[in-house]
Amino acid sequence: MPDFNPTGQIIPDKTITQPQVVPDTLNSNVETDIESGTKGLTAEELKDPNEIKVTISDHDAPIVILYGPPSCGKTMTLVCLTRFLKSHGYTVQPERGFRPSADTHYKSICENFNEMVNSDDAATSTNNISFMLVKVYNTQGRCLCQILEAPGEYYFTKDNPKAEYPTYFHEIADSDTRKVWAIIVEPDWEDQEDRVNYVDRIHKLKSRICPRDKVVFVYNKIDCTNFVISPGIVNTSEAIKKVSQDYPGLFSKFENTHPITRFLRKYDCGFIPFQTGNYTPTVGGKLRFTKANDAYARNLWNEIKKQI
């Protein structure tokens, strides 16, 4: 299968620059352990997700939608990106009007967002940051994009892989706001049927989203694979092959059919190897989070900027 580079182009080189992280068995499932559950929803919303109310007030700034099943790393991806962006002069702020004013949980995470993002206690972020929209501003105060983190249960669930999307999803998907779907895939799904169902879900998503929407595949937990060769080098070609094997047919709906550009770019999507960070248990039972090398967030952010 042809390679993708960080901008989604087909390239002959078999590697791209990424930081080395030594895989270890401890980190392989810890992100799954700390990011679970549907947090911050009312009893009515939990009973019927069609009762979930969201408001997209800014239709000019593109929305980056972190898409994936529960526990795939959406929250920590937002944390990782936020830390990177803020350290490079960007402003990242919660969109307070995204959830109803009566939602006290959402109000609380908006007020304490910076504290939770900067915490080295992994559970502080994953247990509190939930179902929120943040906006990213450059140094001139221009909003570059919005990033949405929403419960994975309503994107894909192994127990009910063909479940209908809730109303709020259709409202966002059908909006005239430009969107970048950051679809997360992982190396540690053991059940082949689940992977096949996830591919089917993504193929249906492709037929559901607007034609001008963009797609980036984020291969999270790259540190749990053998594709990190040495400091700064990842065998992306082999990583793509592995994803293709684990998720058969995943890229088939994203082939570039343009009569001219298809010779330069076989697929109309990006592919980014990614890692949020490392998770180390303390004597007290907490998980100490240290973010990954900035190259991961930088490559993902560069891909987002290209797409928007």
Side-chain angles (χ1 to χ4, degrees):
M1 179 178 179
D3 291 341
F4 299 75
N5 71 3
T7 62
Q9 304 292 322
I10 305 301
I11 56 174
D13 189 11
K14 296 300 181 183
T15 59
I16 63 171
T17 299
Q18 293 285 354
Q20 181 190 34
V21 181
V22 179
D24 68 52
T25 55
L26 173 63
N27 286 336
S28 62
N29 294 314
V30 69
E31 199 167 23
T32 296
D33 294 338
I34 64 175
E35 185 179 349
S36 59
T38 308
K39 308 173 290 291
L41 299 180
T42 66
E44 291 78 11
E45 291 171 335
L46 285 170
K47 183 178 180 180
D48 181 2
N50 289 308
E51 293 295 330
I52 296 174
K53 301 294 191 296
V54 299
T55 300
I56 303 295
S57 57
D58 186 347
H59 294 280
D60 294 323
I63 302 176
V64 179
I65 301 171
L66 301 177
Y67 183 101
S71 307
C72 70
K74 295 183 298 297
T75 299
M76 295 310 294
T77 296
L78 175 60
V79 169
C80 186
L81 268 177
T82 298
R83 286 193 181 190
F84 170 79
L85 292 169
K86 290 172 72 69
S87 70
H88 286 77
Y90 296 89
T91 298
V92 183
Q93 295 180 344
E95 177 56 51
R96 292 177 178 265
F98 176 63
R99 300 281 283 131
S101 58
D103 188 333
T104 56
H105 174 79
Y106 189 71
K107 179 180 179 181
S108 175
I109 61 175
C110 287
E111 293 174 349
N112 298 285
F113 179 69
N114 289 334
E115 179 182 350
M116 290 184 288
V117 163
N118 293 325
S119 175
D120 60 1
D121 179 2
T124 297
S125 297
T126 55
N127 289 342
N128 292 286
I129 297 176
S130 58
F131 211 157
M132 70 183 311
L133 184 72
V134 303
K135 304 183 78 171
V136 179
Y137 299 86
N138 63 13
T139 54
Q140 288 75 44
R142 174 175 172 242
C143 184
L144 302 179
C145 70
Q146 308 172 81
I147 304 177
L148 173 64
E149 191 269 4
E153 288 84 347
Y154 305 132
Y155 291 140
F156 174 80
T157 174
K158 297 177 181 179
D159 295 332
N160 190 5
K162 296 183 179 181
E164 178 57 72
Y165 289 116
T167 301
Y168 81 85
F169 173 90
H170 295 296
E171 292 176 352
I172 294 174
D174 289 335
S175 71
D176 58 2
T177 309
R178 290 179 295 142
K179 294 170 285 293
V180 177
W181 298 84
I183 301 176
I184 299 177
V185 292
E186 305 173 87
D188 56 359
W189 279 23
E190 296 182 357
D191 194 304
Q192 177 69 18
E193 183 179 0
D194 290 337
R195 295 196 298 264
V196 170
N197 287 336
Y198 190 44
V199 170
D200 183 62
R201 187 72 161 179
I202 293 171
H203 285 178
K204 290 180 179 177
L205 173 68
K206 178 63 169 65
S207 64
R208 177 69 184 77
I209 63 180
C210 298
R212 69 172 182 168
D213 288 358
K214 305 298 183 181
V215 171
V216 177
F217 285 98
V218 181
Y219 192 27
N220 193 24
K221 305 176 185 176
I222 191 66
D223 55 308
C224 301
T225 73
N226 296 319
F227 305 128
V228 179
I229 301 171
S230 62
I233 302 295
V234 171
N235 193 331
T236 306
S237 176
E238 291 302 312
I240 293 171
K241 289 180 182 178
K242 178 62 173 173
V243 172
S244 299
Q245 293 169 1
D246 288 346
Y247 301 86
L250 178 64
F251 302 116
S252 64
K253 294 292 185 179
F254 299 90
E255 292 187 359
N256 182 11
T257 59
H258 191 279
I260 298 176
T261 61
R262 65 187 179 90
F263 296 106
L264 302 174
R265 186 182 69 251
K266 185 175 181 179
Y267 296 95
D268 279 331
C269 59
F271 183 92
I272 299 293
F274 190 69
Q275 183 204 358
T276 58
N278 295 281
Y279 304 83
T280 308
T282 66
V283 174
K286 294 183 177 181
L287 287 171
R288 195 67 64 194
F289 170 70
T290 54
K291 71 179 181 67
N293 187 291
D294 273 356
Y296 280 103
R298 180 181 296 109
N299 284 341
L300 179 56
W301 177 238
N302 285 341
E303 176 68 14
I304 290 171
K305 287 195 298 182
K306 171 184 175 292
Q307 299 294 355
I308 64 178

